[in-house]
Amino acid sequence: PAHCWLSPQVPMWGREVTIVLASPVDVVAGESFEVVLDPAPTIAVSASSGPRPLSTPVTPFEPSGIIGYNGRYLAVSDDVSSPSLFAIDRAGAVDRQVVPITGVAEVDDLESIATDGTRVWVLASQSFSKRGKRKPARTALLELAADGAGFRVVAERHPAADIERVLGLTSPARDLDIEGMTFHDGALFLGV
């Protein structure tokens, strides 16, 4: 999907694969190859292939949303209350330094992140805490613009009551919980 492209201007289709040959082949740098698979290829899966776990020095870290952005990945964690994002490289290593968000004092329970390629949006769950509270930090929808090594808030909204009204829920709805969001065709789509 487009939100997973490393660069929003460069479409990326399919998955990156590594082909291991049974015997060495002499090649010249830049040489192209035609790869043909048998009708029923046999694929050997080793412990080193397949999905790689994230490598993170940051705790707590529970990535709840991730996007491709300018050649790297950006993630939000629902366990972190400081306004920040996490940068992840293509190998799955999480940067030791968080990506700061300026212009807001606190966020709580960030569940999703989306981009149109230029701006980034982060969204809190809109839900009540285990203690029955729903403070503004849990209802934030922040529009972010790149600002140096981090991002700054250019717009802040608190859409919980509007979402409840559209869904026909009694406000305040204790069962409202947004877990996902994506940007498509000029609009944000929410996963309720």
Side-chain angles (χ1 to χ4, degrees):
H3 69 274
C4 290
W5 296 350
L6 291 176
S7 171
Q9 288 78 31
V10 181
M12 192 165 116
W13 309 107
R15 304 238 184 252
E16 181 179 325
V17 297
T18 302
I19 299 173
V20 179
L21 302 175
S23 59
V25 176
D26 292 326
V27 296
V28 177
E31 186 175 356
S32 64
F33 295 89
E34 181 177 338
V35 176
V36 179
L37 299 175
D38 292 331
T42 301
I43 300 172
V45 179
S46 69
S48 62
S49 67
R52 292 176 293 223
L54 289 176
S55 169
T56 176
V58 181
T59 56
F61 182 65
E62 183 182 322
S64 51
I66 189 168
I67 58 168
Y69 185 82
N70 287 348
R72 63 181 176 173
Y73 296 100
L74 293 175
V76 292
S77 173
D78 58 10
D79 279 350
V80 178
S81 61
S82 65
S84 55
L85 303 175
F86 297 89
I88 304 171
D89 68 20
R90 292 184 72 174
V94 179
D95 196 325
R96 290 185 178 278
Q97 294 294 107
V98 297
V99 179
I101 299 172
T102 59
V104 66
E106 180 187 15
V107 293
D108 186 19
D109 200 24
L110 288 181
E111 290 291 350
S112 53
I113 184 170
T115 185
D116 65 355
T118 304
R119 295 289 169 98
V120 171
W121 290 267
V122 294
L123 180 68
S125 67
Q126 312 297 301
S127 65
F128 283 78
S129 70
K130 291 177 184 172
R131 295 181 179 174
K133 306 282 185 196
R134 186 163 72 174
K135 57 187 179 177
R138 285 185 80 86
T139 64
L141 169 60
L142 305 176
E143 182 179 348
L144 311 175
D147 188 19
F151 289 86
R152 65 180 161 74
V153 175
V154 294
E156 179 176 351
R157 296 169 187 87
H158 297 271
D162 291 332
I163 294 168
E164 291 165 346
R165 181 181 42 75
V166 168
L167 294 175
L169 301 173
T170 303
S171 184
R174 299 234 177 242
D175 52 355
L176 178 63
D177 193 5
I178 298 177
E179 294 287 325
M181 171 177 65
T182 192
F183 184 90
H184 177 71
D185 200 22
L188 288 172
F189 290 79
L190 307 179
V192 179

